[in-house]
Amino acid sequence: MTLYIDIGALEDIPAQGARVVRTSEGCVAVFRTADDRVFALEDRCAHRGGPLSEGLVHGDRVTCPLHGWVFDMNTGEAQGADKGRIRTFAAKVEGGRIFLDAALLKRRSAA
Amino acid sequence: MKQRLVVVGAGMASGRMLEHVFEAAPDAFDVTLFNAEPRGNYNRLMLSPVLSGEKTYEDIVTHDGDWYAAHGVDCRFGEPVVRIDRANRVVYSNAGGVPYDRLVIATGSAPFILPVPGKDLPGVVTYRDLEDTEAMIAAGLAGRDAVVIGGGLLGLEAAAGMAARGAKVTVIHLMGHLMERQLDPAAGYLLQKDLERRGIRVHCKGATKAILGKGRVEAVLLEDGMVYPADIVCMAVGIRPEVRLANDAHLEVNRGVVVDDAMRTSDPAILALGECVEHDGQLFGLVAPLYDQAKVAARTLLGEEAAFRPVQTATKLKVTGCDLFSAGDFADGEGREDILFRDPGRGIYKRLVLQDNRILGVVMYGDTGDGAWFASLMKDGTDISPMRDTLIFGPAYQGGTAPDPLAAVAALPPEAEICGCNGVCKGRIVDAVLGGAVTLDAVRAETKASSSCGTCTGLVEQVMAATLGESFVKPAAQAMCKCTGMSHEDVRRLIHSMGLKSIPAVMQELGWKTVGGCHSCRPALNYYLISEWPLEYQDDRQSRLVNERNHANIQKDGTYSVVPRMWGGVTTPAELRAIADAAEKYAVPMVKVTGGQRIDLLGVRKEDLPAMWADLNAAGLVSGHAYSKGLRTVKTCVGSEFCRFGTQDSTGLGIRLEKLLWGSWTPHKVKLGVSGCPRNCAEATCKDVGVVCVDSGFQIGVAGAAGMELKETQLLATTPSADEAVEIITAFIQLYRESARYLDRPYKWVAKVGLDWVKSQVVEDPVMRRALCERFEISQSVYRRDPWAEHAAPTERAKWGPLADLTLEAAE
């Protein structure tokens, strides 16, 4: 079972925007869609490491701001002709708060 | 002996529960009912008709004193419970204690009050119970200004009710569209249009900053500076479960009182139901699940097995004439598909969300007749694959035809302008076609439409197609992106002709094939709307690409570069000092002079940007817009002031042009140069606009480039007067803003429309030229401002850093 940690309010992220969360795994981009769902993905494009958190969010996809690769935020899979996959992390919204997979926090304490 | 049942709260949930109890076992309990409100149960859902005057309180009572008396209930109305003693099983009001064997908590919820200054002023009300409703009515609504904060279900019902009593109502909503929990942006747009048609003003993306007034509410101030006058303010921003009693009694409480499937709290003698409970992490605001809870609670009280299983419920807005329906889950998602139907002419929108050939969600606006049918297919999990092709048309579908791609053009009225250059309306083209002009050339010859800049050619062809039917074969235009079949030019013209003022409006009225667009069309639409409606359109920051959203240039490693504006390339020791200080303070790894004669500070971390801008702003420096599809720099040489060859004050002209043009958004970046003599030290002849000063005056060249392609400027005009040069350049930029396709540099645009046409507009026709300059000035009254200053405020800075830092938390 996934344990979750409260990382902030949904309203801290603009709709169709993103904010980053620093973790021991590197920066995680937390996206908010137009219909108020959240997705958490590694904040590095599979192509040249661009910050996906600065990409344009459309539906449940995000376009990398550097060279325009598009990723499905559900799977982290690159779309179209591009090949590649980025890590995704469990995330959810409850009562206006955003919860992320607490494992992102734990691995650090173990280290 | 009868069991003693105490119920706290006489709302819709507990009323329904008691009905079930008395029906199944009339003599099982001695019931005591406490209620904070001085009355029995009424149908809260019907408060809006009471507010609007369509019903009275008497019409909406469901369980009055007589009903309770008939069932032997000891009613304690107007007597709030203050404490529960679980150890001794007694509840206390201020009048004393009542012992219980079973206790039911049904305390409902309380309206959420925004913690803004002025929230306690007289005239600020919530919309929750009969007192609130009566307070609004008593305020005397006719002719008064009313502001409703919150554009959800409740807020809109309050707004419609007050409007029906003659108030001038404004709705402030924090989100991008109304009822965002129930509707997607397209349906939200249609709802807004309907409300505006009935005189209710809607302000989305509006964050309330304060409620203003001396001794009584007078106005509402928003974060963006808007002020709306208000004699009454209704807060309808949400509800929170009323859990104080349960908390004090040390029952398990999260957001609501935690209950199991049988509606039992953490104390098995105590049940809870209604809006105060939390079941499986979920809260409940709609009535259908509350009635299900009432049924389960009654059976639990009677010792029977029952389990509460929440089902997806549908929403309808109780505002006459606004026909909307939403049910289920209509978010996008992996493996989910949409079936979309838009009929812009009739204001109809229907969307089904499918997964594995089953309906997951429905959103409908304008025609909701089939809503229940879709909802039942959803509830039953029916496999819809056999009827997939015709599903969206509903159960009564009888071989309809596919939606008409020409509908948007066909729906335009005859007086809608099609060709802006020559002022030709649709009716004139239709007449020409009916009169025998069946080819584009014939229509051009007859009406002049599409014979100038040509950007309306696609639309003219569509008008011809709509008039001639299938006999007209239209050459295929390149579509803007995969979301639409229309070209950039058609979309621009239709934004103008149809008066479309938001991205959802464009997507709905022009029949977008996707729900929310893509990274290609959204930035383009955002630009077209800014250009067309500078005073009315609200910029959509999330539809801007990264550099414009963050007002700095993103570098390959995710850091940014900052370029302060140096007007005409001129700076001062004090400015240089401020730039040097900022470079040191924020540990800028590289300071570089750009090709446009500005200083570039490379390698700045995103979270440092606002503080750095604040420092630069304090020294008088503003954004250089080195990132923007807008005016970048005006490069100059020193000109007649110092140079022994200089013929005119090229530096002064450069500064004047930059101060005039800065801040304007354009289809692509725009760079200028002003050289003081034909030696051309400012390299003005490869710029979008380049001026070469000569003894007799100013040579204005346009459409140069030194990027992917190399182009020398072409001569637009020569004029002896600096004032006229400035006017011609301004008009040129505005013409480019109004008619170029997004992401076309001026050289590409001029190649498409022809330099002769550009000359005819901005050089040869002084009336047109002045009109273009006026429109430019109107836009600049909004957009000639420093984007850095807006984000440099200390309150804004937190938004630029990480949302959370888990590495720090772990270390603690």
Side-chain angles (χ1 to χ4, degrees), chain B residues 245-576:
Chain B
L245 265 186
N247 247 333
D248 293 348
H250 301 292
L251 293 171
E252 190 186 344
V253 173
N254 290 334
R255 285 180 293 148
V257 182
V258 176
V259 293
D260 63 10
D261 287 353
M263 306 314 294
R264 280 184 300 251
T265 68
S266 55
D267 178 340
I270 305 179
L271 277 61
L273 79 165
E275 288 181 335
C276 64
V277 308
E278 175 177 330
H279 174 268
D280 202 16
Q282 209 186 335
L283 302 178
F284 302 87
L286 300 176
V287 75
L290 301 196
Y291 281 169
D292 288 344
Q293 291 177 359
K295 203 177 290 176
V296 172
R299 296 184 64 179
T300 302
L301 284 175
L302 296 166
E304 297 168 20
E305 288 282 315
F308 173 58
R309 295 265 176 268
V311 291
Q312 299 278 15
T313 48
T315 310
K316 275 184 86 77
L317 179 71
K318 289 168 294 300
V319 172
T320 321
C322 292
D323 217 2
L324 68 83
F325 180 90
S326 99
D329 181 357
F330 48 87
D332 300 322
E334 189 192 8
R336 292 187 179 181
E337 305 161 283
D338 286 302
I339 297 182
L340 205 56
F341 173 87
R342 304 194 199 236
D343 182 345
R346 290 188 298 151
I348 290 175
Y349 172 81
K350 301 182 191 183
R351 177 173 166 218
L352 297 174
V353 181
L354 306 179
Q355 187 160 26
D356 302 329
N357 284 317
R358 284 173 171 80
I359 299 177
L360 277 190
V362 191
V363 189
M364 308 174 79
Y365 199 94
D367 173 8
T368 57
D370 299 333
W373 183 68
F374 288 125
S376 75
L377 291 181
M378 175 171 73
K379 198 174 155 207
D380 301 341
T382 308
D383 182 348
I384 53 83
S385 37
M387 50 183 162
R388 185 173 170 127
D389 289 351
T390 57
L391 181 67
I392 194 80
F393 302 111
Y397 174 71
Q398 292 158 359
T401 49
D404 181 4
L406 290 174
V409 171
L412 285 176
E415 60 274 12
E417 183 185 272
I418 300 293
C419 172
C421 300
N422 298 297
V424 184
C425 62
K426 178 184 164 186
R428 177 85 187 80
I429 297 170
V430 171
D431 290 346
V433 172
L434 295 177
V438 294
T439 66
L440 183 62
D441 282 341
V443 170
R444 278 182 180 152
E446 176 86 20
T447 67
K448 295 276 182 294
S450 155
S451 62
S452 295
C453 79
T455 57
C456 62
T457 303
L459 268 188
V460 172
E461 286 169 341
Q462 287 184 16
V463 172
M464 294 175 69
T467 313
L468 287 171
E470 284 177 11
S471 63
F472 178 76
V473 183
K474 171 175 126 41
Q478 199 193 348
M480 193 166 168
C481 66
K482 65 177 169 41
C483 305
T484 175
M486 292 190 179
S487 69
H488 280 264
E489 287 78 11
D490 291 351
V491 170
R492 277 205 97 156
R493 278 262 162 249
L494 286 168
I495 284 174
H496 174 84
S497 308
M498 301 174 78
L500 306 177
K501 295 185 181 171
S502 71
I503 290 177
V506 174
M507 291 181 176
Q508 169 63 23
E509 300 293 350
L510 305 189
W512 237 242
K513 289 182 263 184
T514 56
V515 176
C518 70
H519 61 263
S520 300
C521 58
R522 288 233 313 273
L525 292 180
N526 192 48
Y527 170 73
Y528 294 150
L529 289 161
I530 278 183
S531 158
E532 186 70 45
W533 318 107
L535 301 181
E536 294 159 271
Y537 178 66
Q538 273 207 313
D539 182 33
D540 178 16
R541 200 162 161 234
Q542 299 306 328
S543 291
R544 285 187 178 271
L545 301 174
V546 56
N547 286 353
E548 290 185 351
R549 191 175 343 108
N550 290 341
H551 306 299
N553 284 11
I554 195 163
Q555 310 296 320
K556 60 187 278 187
D557 64 352
T559 62
Y560 289 83
S561 85
V562 168
V563 182
R565 199 169 278 288
M566 291 174 176
W567 308 101
V570 175
T571 183
T572 64
E575 285 182 351
L576 289 171

Side-chain angles (χ1 to χ4, degrees), chain B residues 70-225:
Chain B
H71 291 87
V73 177
D74 176 11
C75 290
R76 307 290 187 89
F77 292 153
E79 193 180 325
V81 170
V82 295
R83 187 164 70 87
I84 300 168
D85 176 353
R86 280 169 56 198
N88 298 305
R89 296 197 173 180
V90 182
V91 296
Y92 289 92
S93 71
N94 286 331
V98 174
Y100 67 84
D101 298 305
R102 310 297 295 276
L103 173 64
V104 175
I105 299 177
T107 43
S109 60
F112 184 72
I113 307 286
L114 289 176
V116 294
K119 67 181 167 56
D120 299 320
L121 284 171
V124 180
V125 298
T126 55
Y127 183 47
R128 183 69 200 141
D129 55 27
L130 192 65
E131 270 74 25
D132 297 332
T133 311
E134 283 171 344
M136 280 190 262
I137 296 168
L141 291 164
R144 311 292 288 273
D145 288 307
V147 171
V148 176
I149 303 174
L153 206 56
L154 213 54
L156 295 184
E157 292 183 5
M162 290 197 281
R165 286 195 183 256
K168 289 175 275 178
V169 182
T170 303
V171 176
I172 313 288
H173 191 50
L174 186 61
M175 299 299 169
H177 67 274
L178 297 172
M179 286 180 70
E180 78 286 347
R181 275 164 204 267
Q182 292 86 14
L183 301 180
D184 61 7
Y189 156 74
L190 287 172
L191 171 60
Q192 178 169 344
K193 231 172 77 168
D194 266 351
L195 292 173
E196 285 169 349
R197 204 173 297 132
R198 62 181 68 201
I200 296 174
R201 181 160 48 183
V202 177
H203 184 131
C204 286
K205 293 190 204 165
T208 305
K209 188 171 187 180
I211 296 170
L212 311 176
K214 280 186 187 148
R216 171 162 187 91
V217 58
E218 287 163 19
V220 175
L221 168 70
L222 305 190
E223 293 280 358
D224 62 16

